Amino acid sequence: MTDAELDILVKDKTDFNKRLRLIASLSHCEDERSVLALKHLAQHDFVYVVRLSAWQALQAKGIIIPEPVERPRYAILLERSLARAKRICQKMFDLCQGWYI
């Protein structure tokens, strides 16, 4: 497999099963480009199962990277911020309703 083909398969977002099969085949390779592809998948893929599978393949090779989280930190932070903004808006709305009565 050439570098261009590998790059296309790593960045293919149409079917996560393709990327899982790619991880299975890359886990048996010992070259540097397979490690780089696995690192990219473990850190940047949007499907948690793919990130976890790539992380496990890297762990089996003895390469230590942080374990992927099921939901990224920015999503948790965004949800908390939106919930806080919703509470503030609700309180402002309730306050304004008292003025119009």
Side-chain angles (χ1 to χ4, degrees):
M1 176 180 327
T2 65
D3 288 338
E5 291 173 342
L6 180 62
D7 194 39
I8 289 170
L9 286 174
V10 166
K11 295 179 181 174
D12 181 20
K13 303 297 183 199
T14 58
D15 185 14
F16 74 94
N17 289 317
K18 287 181 186 177
R19 294 190 305 279
L20 288 175
R21 288 191 298 270
L22 176 66
I23 290 169
S25 67
L26 289 177
S27 64
H28 301 296
C29 298
E30 295 298 327
D31 59 341
E32 184 63 29
R33 67 185 184 136
S34 66
V35 172
L36 292 175
L38 287 171
K39 282 183 180 179
H40 178 77
L41 287 170
Q43 294 170 348
H44 300 291
D45 201 274
F46 64 93
V47 177
Y48 175 69
V49 175
V50 173
R51 289 194 315 265
L52 185 64
S53 180
W55 177 77
Q56 290 169 344
L58 286 168
Q59 293 294 311
K61 289 182 177 231
I63 298 167
I64 307 297
I65 63 169
E67 183 175 358
V69 292
E70 188 168 357
R71 293 175 50 228
R73 289 184 201 145
Y74 71 86
I76 296 168
L77 179 65
L78 181 62
E79 286 176 2
R80 287 180 185 164
S81 300
L82 289 175
R84 183 176 297 139
K86 182 180 176 183
R87 286 192 308 270
I88 292 170
C89 289
Q90 185 64 46
K91 289 189 186 281
M92 294 295 291
F93 178 75
D94 292 343
L95 181 66
C96 290
Q97 285 290 61
W99 290 346
Y100 290 114
I101 295 178

